[in-house]
Amino acid sequence: MDTPHSASLDDLKANTRVLAFDIFGTVVDWHGSIMREMQALYPAVDANAFALAWRAGYQPAMARVRSGELGWTRIDELHRLILDDLLPQFGLSHLSEANRVHLNRVWHRLDAWPDSVAGLLRLKKKFTICTLSNGNLGLLTNMAKRAGLPWDCVLSAEVFRAYKPDPATYLGVAQVFDLQPHEVMLCAAHHDDLAAARACGLRTAYIERPLEFGVLQPKNVSPQTGNDLHASDMHALADALGCDA
C-alpha cells in the first residue's frame, strides 16, 4: 500500500532526483543474517538474543561518538567494541582474535530482503540510487558486492564524519549531487530517521519491514503522518514512483 502525504505523486515523480536508502533493516535483514550465522558457527548460543543484543549496542556506541567521548570511530570499530563486551555474556569469551574478526565482519555479509535487489533495479531505471547509512564505506561496499545491491553511489556517515540523525548526513547527500534537499528522498524503515531527514527538507518514503527484529518481535509498521510515501516493500515503492516492472 502506498499513501501520498505531503506532496502529490506527480510532484514527487517530477522533482525527485535521488533516492537515498537507509541500509540496516531497510535494505538488508541484519537480524536474520546474524541469526543464521550464529546458528551455523555457535549453535549453543541463543542466536535471536545475540543478534538483538548486538544491535541494541549500536545507538549507545554512536552516542559516544556524537558526545565527543570517542573521536570519529567507524561502525566496524564500534561493532567490535560492542561484540567484545557481548561475548562473555553468551559464553564466548574464549573466541580467538581471528574468530572475533570474522564474526565482526558478519555485518559485511548481511543478506538483502527478498524484494530489495529487484526493487532497486526498477528504481535505478528512473532515479539515482545511493546508500545513506551509518555503516562505513568498506562495509557498505562489501555488502553490496556480495548481495548484488546495484547502487549508483555509496554514501556513508564516514563521508560526512557525522552519524545520522546529524543534519550533515542528510544535507550532505544533496550537496554531493548538487541538488536542493527536496530533490532527495530518504527511503527507510525507521520513522525517526525519516523525521530527521524531513526536518532538513528531504522527501521521505517509509518502507515496511515488520520482521526487522525477527518473527518473535514483530514491528508496528503503521503509517505515520508526514511521510510522502508509505510502501509495503521496494516493489510497492517502485510502483508508486512510476517505475517500470
Side-chain angles (χ1 to χ4, degrees):
M1 178 183 68
D2 305 278
T3 308
H5 289 292
S6 60
S8 72
L9 278 177
D10 288 342
D11 179 49
L12 289 175
K13 293 174 187 177
N15 295 311
T16 303
R17 299 284 181 265
V18 171
L19 304 180
F21 286 83
D22 172 68
I23 300 302
F24 300 121
T26 300
V27 177
V28 296
D29 175 13
W30 61 264
H31 180 273
S33 302
I34 292 172
M35 270 196 66
R36 287 187 286 274
E37 188 134 345
M38 289 301 295
Q39 288 165 344
L41 292 174
Y42 309 107
V45 172
D46 182 337
N48 173 60
F50 189 91
L52 293 174
W54 203 353
R55 182 65 172 177
Y58 180 69
Q59 288 294 341
M62 287 188 295
R64 295 176 65 190
V65 176
R66 293 189 192 103
S67 71
E69 178 189 342
L70 291 176
W72 175 253
T73 308
R74 300 182 311 162
I75 284 293
D76 270 343
E77 282 73 51
L78 293 181
H79 278 152
R80 177 61 190 270
L81 290 173
I82 303 163
L83 178 64
D84 285 340
D85 284 343
L86 212 54
L87 292 177
Q89 302 172 36
F90 288 86
L92 294 173
S93 54
H94 63 279
L95 289 194
S96 68
E97 175 63 16
N99 286 337
R100 289 171 188 239
V101 169
H102 177 75
L103 183 54
N104 197 53
R105 286 177 69 87
V106 68
W107 295 93
H108 295 223
R109 300 187 292 270
L110 301 182
D111 297 324
W113 292 110
D115 58 279
S116 288
V117 173
L120 288 170
L121 285 169
R122 289 180 61 194
L123 292 161
K124 183 185 171 91
K125 294 176 184 177
K126 187 170 182 179
F127 303 96
T128 295
I129 61 170
C130 70
T131 64
L132 181 60
S133 172
N134 286 329
N136 46 286
L137 289 167
L139 181 160
L140 294 170
T141 301
N142 291 338
M143 177 197 293
K145 187 77 169 175
R146 178 183 174 275
L149 300 169
W151 306 120
D152 292 309
C153 178
V154 174
L155 292 178
S156 157
E158 185 180 359
V159 173
F160 310 113
R161 295 182 76 83
Y163 282 123
K164 294 189 294 182
D166 191 304
T169 58
Y170 307 110
L171 296 174
V173 178
Q175 291 164 1
V176 163
F177 293 105
D178 196 22
L179 297 172
Q180 295 300 310
H182 72 269
E183 296 176 294
V184 178
M185 176 181 284
L186 181 70
C187 308
H190 309 112
H191 285 298
D192 54 350
D193 195 6
L194 295 168
R198 205 157 47 243
C200 292
L202 276 66
R203 301 297 197 188
T204 56
Y206 181 78
I207 300 173
E208 294 182 8
R209 296 300 185 197
L211 301 183
E212 177 181 357
F213 296 92
V215 294
L216 300 178
Q217 296 86 208
K219 195 169 77 169
N220 181 356
V221 294
S222 302
Q224 290 192 11
T225 57
N227 292 317
D228 296 293
L229 293 172
H230 181 101
S232 57
D233 62 13
M234 292 287 186
H235 286 295
L237 181 61
D239 290 343
L241 290 171
C243 299
D244 294 337

